[in-house]
Amino acid sequence: MSSSALEEELTTEYEDWTNLFLPRTAQILKSTPLTATDTLHRLRFQNGDIGDYKPGQFVMVSMLGIGEVPISICSSPTHIGGFELCVRSAGTVTQAINELNAGALVPIRGPYGRGFSTEKMVGHDVMIIAGGIGLAPMRSLIQYLLDQRSQYGEIWILFGAKRPGEVLFQDEVLSWSSRPDIHFLMTVDIANRAWRGNVGPVTSLFHYVKVDPHNTCAAVCGPPVMYRPVLRELQHLELPDAQMFFSFERRMKCGLGKCGHCLINGHYCCKEGPVLSYAEIRELPEAM
Amino acid sequence: MVEAMEYRVLLKKDIRVWVEWLMGKGELHAPVAKSASHPQYQFEKISQPDTVCLDYATTILPPKQCVQPVRETLIRFDRVANQFTLSDQVPERRLHIIFGIHTCDIHAFNFLNTVMRDGNADTQFLARSANTAIIGLRCRQHCDDKSFCESMGTNEPPDTGYDILMTDIGDRYFLELATERAAKLVDDLSCIPHTGDEDVVKWRQMLADSKKNFDRRLSINIEELPAYCEANYHSPMWDVIGKKCVACGSCTLVCPTCYCFDIRDELDMSLQGGERYRVWDSCQLGEFAAVAGGVNFRRDRRDRQRHRVHRKVKYPKERYNLFACVGCGRCSRACIADIQMLDILRQLGAKSHEFQRT
């Protein structure tokens, strides 16, 4: 009697719940090498759409048997019919992804995290500061802003690359640079003979920037060493803390705010980030 | 104190009868002595009722494995050429019984449940936890000189999180039944009768006596610990601790509230199928916070030790209003470099006036 009584107590409640670690299947529509190490993949989920997401959000991409990696979505949610990921071959998983061609099926979880607060940017001037592969998530934001250009004020793009030949999305970057409604500034760390532009870190471009700080939002993404110098420049411009948005890179493993790898002090970068305003992180010594 | 639904008693000599009966109901884990000459204990799946040892100082490892196994399958996959199939891992439907768990470890379970329920619910954990019956034991003194449960308030049971609580009252155990399930765990076993008035009097006396046995080991206001952590963030105390630490990860391995995990893939021999699993990980290991490009966000042991302590007494307090340190002292016992949690917390309290918040 009692055995069955205890069995009746067993909960089955969670058995119908979604296994959050189970990816959906996406198909690569097109793979385009951008540089020696970076490839742009256009994908679409087989069953249904990726759903609503914000520029700055990321997905977990699987190579079964090798592992999973977090990759920012680099296309805008306003572009329908798929999404794009720019993958740099930096490890075993990313290398395997970049060996795939159109037609390949890829398990993907997400989108995860909190992206850029585009609502807050409406009616404001927007400064986009990107370094290297940090341009990938920023491309999503730039496309998003340009698709609704009239809702935003001045748009500044400050972009730093290591070398002139290592620029991602070259055609798009070229089109941004020639648009009259964008202030486009670019710099390289190491110039070649053909380079006529600015040489130096991305912070050296701030010299050319003129904004009304109270009406400006900044969005920053780049290598970790870039954050403190950029922050100093933005503070020098007197942007309010709540209008500076940084996209942080951390070792995200679960994407669900559980595994602990991505913590910035007590904040889960995967869940509460990866985009956080300076107002949210100024008390966090581990952020920058 | 929360009133139990019902009280029962159990003669010590009848423990084995109950244990054996419970073993027929589910997988029973209880403390056992590692060897007669060696006063160390561990939670084991019980197959011989006589091996259960309720008169034990805390176990080397906490019983968290029952709800968070060291290794756990998340999904299974099969791939052939460009095709693959993914299969879900349905939570197991099986009763686990944790028998004789100290109150500090019940507090730790409650913490883990809070974390796993927060935001994205971890269904495998929650299913296992919900199907785990907790038969706890009230402690009568600190386990040893490393314990400071009294200071963390965990020598007393939490309001919820257990089915039955046992108290040693001499020749018998006094049982507080706290849940519907508790009644089914004692059923109408003749060896577990209802209490007489004498038992209740004796039990209350025992509770009062036990209180006196616990000395205050941390003479700071623990509510201030988050502020103390903040004030001491740049304190040289972390350099001293970091220099001692050998980054072995033992402290997190034995911690009843540590839950960090890594996710890995493993292929079968066929190289076609395989599984993605999670496995316990430790923030004390060097690569825990490393990303591509040679960047490591907690490269120094000093930073990792500080992070561990903050994850025990600052971050969870701010997020859940709970401490993730229950004062069991396991990390201090396991540390081969003699890093002592009690010392660290005392230092935080003592030095807080030296490093003002900036």
Side-chain angles (χ1 to χ4, degrees):
Chain A
M1 164 252 157
S2 46
S3 176
S4 61
L6 273 167
E7 266 164 30
E8 280 163 23
E9 290 280 320
L10 289 178
T11 181
T12 56
E13 184 188 343
Y14 300 102
E15 291 173 19
D16 301 329
W17 289 29
T18 315
N19 178 345
L20 297 171
F21 294 97
L22 196 65
R24 293 191 288 155
T25 304
Q27 183 164 40
I28 296 185
L29 304 174
K30 194 179 176 191
S31 289
T32 317
L34 298 180
T35 69
T37 52
D38 305 282
T39 302
L40 179 67
H41 302 279
R42 177 153 197 85
L43 299 108
R44 193 167 54 200
F45 278 110
Q46 282 196 315
N47 301 312
D49 199 44
I50 185 167
D52 199 21
Y53 66 93
K54 285 258 173 223
Q57 282 191 266
F58 68 98
V59 290
M60 296 296 298
V61 184
S62 282
M63 289 289 102
L64 298 174
I66 307 176
E68 267 184 313
V69 285
I71 305 282
S72 298
I73 303 169
C74 71
S75 58
S76 167
T78 49
H79 291 200
I80 50 166
F83 57 98
E84 290 178 340
L85 304 175
C86 178
V87 180
R88 171 163 291 178
S89 299
T92 50
V93 180
T94 46
Q95 257 161 36
I97 297 169
N98 281 351
E99 281 165 19
L100 298 175
N101 297 307
L105 301 177
V106 187
I108 292 181
R109 298 191 280 135
Y112 290 128
R114 214 181 54 166
F116 288 100
S117 176
T118 46
E119 295 87 358
K120 207 161 179 182
M121 294 175 181
V122 170
H124 285 67
D125 297 345
V126 183
M127 263 179 89
I128 286 165
I129 301 127
I133 188 124
L135 187 62
M138 291 317 222
R139 174 177 176 256
S140 173
L141 179 62
I142 294 167
Q143 288 181 348
Y144 186 91
L145 299 178
L146 293 180
D147 281 349
Q148 298 157 91
R149 184 65 190 87
S150 60
Q151 292 199 39
Y152 306 94
E154 307 274 309
I155 294 180
W156 294 79
I157 299 176
L158 282 63
F159 174 50
K162 191 170 262 175
R163 293 185 175 82
E166 290 179 21
V167 177
L168 302 170
F169 316 112
Q170 294 206 10
D171 295 346
E172 243 170 305
V173 168
L174 202 63
S175 77
W176 298 335
S177 69
S178 56
R179 277 179 74 131
D181 59 350
I182 297 178
H183 302 280
F184 183 88
L185 301 167
M186 186 179 158
T187 183
V188 296
D189 290 333
I190 304 159
N192 58 16
R193 284 183 183 192
W195 182 252
R196 293 282 170 269
N198 195 85
V199 179
V202 76
T203 44
S204 63
L205 298 172
F206 277 81
H207 174 67
Y208 306 100
V209 173
K210 280 186 183 54
V211 293
D212 168 13
H214 295 285
N215 193 41
T216 302
C217 289
V220 186
C221 189
V225 290
M226 194 183 95
Y227 285 53
R228 272 172 177 276
V230 166
L231 171 69
R232 272 196 292 274
E233 295 295 336
L234 294 173
Q235 287 177 322
H236 186 69
L237 288 174
E238 297 183 343
L239 253 70
D241 291 353
Q243 285 166 221
M244 301 181 218
F245 299 96
F246 294 85
S247 176
F248 291 96
E249 182 191 12
R250 287 297 184 275
R251 188 188 184 96
M252 294 152 187
K253 277 283 184 173
C254 72
L256 305 165
K258 294 280 186 274
C259 79
H261 284 267
C262 72
L263 278 171
I264 302 172
N265 292 104
H267 290 240
Y268 287 99
C269 187
C270 71
K271 201 173 93 181
E272 285 125 26
V275 178
L276 291 154
S277 77
Y278 184 61
E280 292 168 300
I281 56 107
R282 70 185 156 210
E283 307 285 340
L284 307 182
E286 284 187 345
M288 293 185 188
Chain B
M1 200 168 96
V2 176
E3 269 317 296
M5 295 168 68
E6 196 185 334
Y7 298 134
R8 299 280 191 99
V9 283
L10 171 70
L11 287 175
K12 281 185 173 172
K13 67 175 180 59
D14 289 331
I15 277 281
R16 78 175 307 285
V17 179
W18 190 28
V19 165
E20 195 159 15
W21 183 83
L22 286 171
M23 281 163 56
K25 308 301 167 202
E27 189 175 310
L28 187 112
H29 292 253
V32 298
K34 284 198 75 172
S35 74
S37 58
H38 207 57
Q40 282 190 304
Y41 304 88
Q42 62 190 20
F43 276 94
E44 275 181 15
K45 183 185 166 184
I46 301 299
S47 50
Q48 296 291 329
D50 291 328
T51 58
V52 174
C53 176
L54 285 180
D55 189 18
Y56 74 106
T58 193
T59 53
I60 303 166
L61 278 168
K64 69 179 173 184
Q65 290 179 72
C66 295
V67 282
Q68 188 179 12
V70 178
R71 175 178 168 151
E72 176 177 28
T73 305
L74 297 172
I75 57 165
R76 285 205 49 87
F77 54 83
D78 269 294
R79 34 168 228 183
V80 183
N82 185 29
Q83 296 293 321
F84 56 81
T85 54
L86 299 169
S87 48
D88 201 348
Q89 193 68 19
V90 178
E92 57 181 346
R93 194 189 303 170
R94 196 153 58 109
L95 181 70
H96 279 78
I97 302 164
I98 303 181
F99 189 82
I101 171 178
H102 284 169
T103 50
C104 60
D105 287 337
I106 303 177
H107 280 275
F109 267 27
N110 285 357
F111 174 77
L112 290 176
N113 270 293
T114 303
V115 170
M116 294 302 168
R117 214 177 285 130
D118 179 41
N120 300 300
D122 191 309
T123 51
Q124 296 211 50
F125 177 97
L126 293 174
R128 209 177 288 109
S129 175
N131 291 332
T132 298
I134 304 285
I135 301 178
L137 185 65
R138 283 182 183 267
C139 299
R140 294 167 59 188
Q141 67 269 316
H142 280 119
C143 284
D144 63 12
D145 61 338
K146 315 277 192 210
S147 315
F148 53 102
C149 49
E150 191 275 342
S151 306
M152 302 308 292
T154 60
N155 63 323
E156 294 288 335
D159 290 346
T160 57
Y162 57 88
D163 295 286
I164 298 175
L165 260 188
M166 302 186 280
T167 310
D168 183 342
I169 57 165
D171 66 336
R172 63 194 66 190
Y173 284 100
F174 187 92
L175 271 47
E176 300 160 66
L177 277 52
T179 59
E180 302 272 347
R181 184 164 59 189
K184 291 169 186 165
L185 288 165
V186 297
D187 197 32
D188 43 11
L189 287 178
S190 57
C191 67
I192 311 183
H194 291 270
T195 48
D197 293 344
E198 267 173 55
D199 296 318
V200 179
V201 170
K202 212 165 173 185
W203 174 63
R204 292 199 189 283
Q205 186 58 48
M206 192 61 87
L207 292 185
D209 291 348
S210 298
K211 265 199 173 68
K212 291 176 212 152
N213 292 341
F214 285 97
D215 52 316
R216 176 61 51 93
R217 295 184 166 179
L218 189 58
S219 55
I220 60 170
N221 177 5
I222 59 166
E223 294 299 313
E224 295 293 331
L225 276 169
Y228 292 163
C229 282
E230 198 151 340
N232 285 292
Y233 196 88
H234 298 290
S235 159
M237 69 180 274
W238 302 116
D239 294 306
V240 177
I241 295 164
K243 282 199 179 100
K244 285 171 89 174
C245 177
V246 296
C248 67
S250 297
C251 49
T252 57
L253 192 73
V254 301
C255 179
T257 65
C258 273
Y259 56 87
C260 287
F261 56 86
D262 194 16
I263 300 176
R264 298 177 196 164
D265 284 13
E266 189 171 270
L267 285 169
D268 297 340
M269 294 294 276
S270 66
L271 300 182
Q272 294 192 328
E275 67 170 24
R276 177 163 294 159
Y277 63 95
R278 62 174 159 193
V279 59
W280 288 4
D281 204 349
S282 171
C283 62
Q284 297 307 296
L285 303 180
E287 297 302 299
F288 188 81
V291 295
V295 177
N296 188 334
F297 294 100
R298 253 172 253 112
R299 195 180 295 279
D300 296 337
R301 293 170 194 189
R302 171 198 60 185
D303 299 341
R304 302 203 292 272
Q305 278 290 336
R306 177 174 56 202
H307 183 66
R308 175 175 78 96
V309 173
H310 282 217
R311 289 212 72 188
K312 296 299 149 196
V313 298
K314 183 174 191 286
Y315 307 147
K317 182 67 180 162
E318 291 166 342
R319 191 181 281 263
Y320 305 115
N321 195 26
L322 291 172
F323 286 110
C325 178
V326 296
C328 67
R330 286 187 177 96
C331 55
S332 308
R333 254 170 248 122
C335 183
I336 55 175
D338 197 33
I339 295 169
Q340 301 291 314
M341 192 60 159
L342 194 48
D343 276 353
I344 294 173
L345 300 184
R346 281 177 183 150
Q347 281 188 56
L348 284 171
K351 291 189 172 176
S352 57
H353 58 282
E354 293 172 29
F355 297 90
Q356 290 307 310
R357 192 174 160 175
T358 49

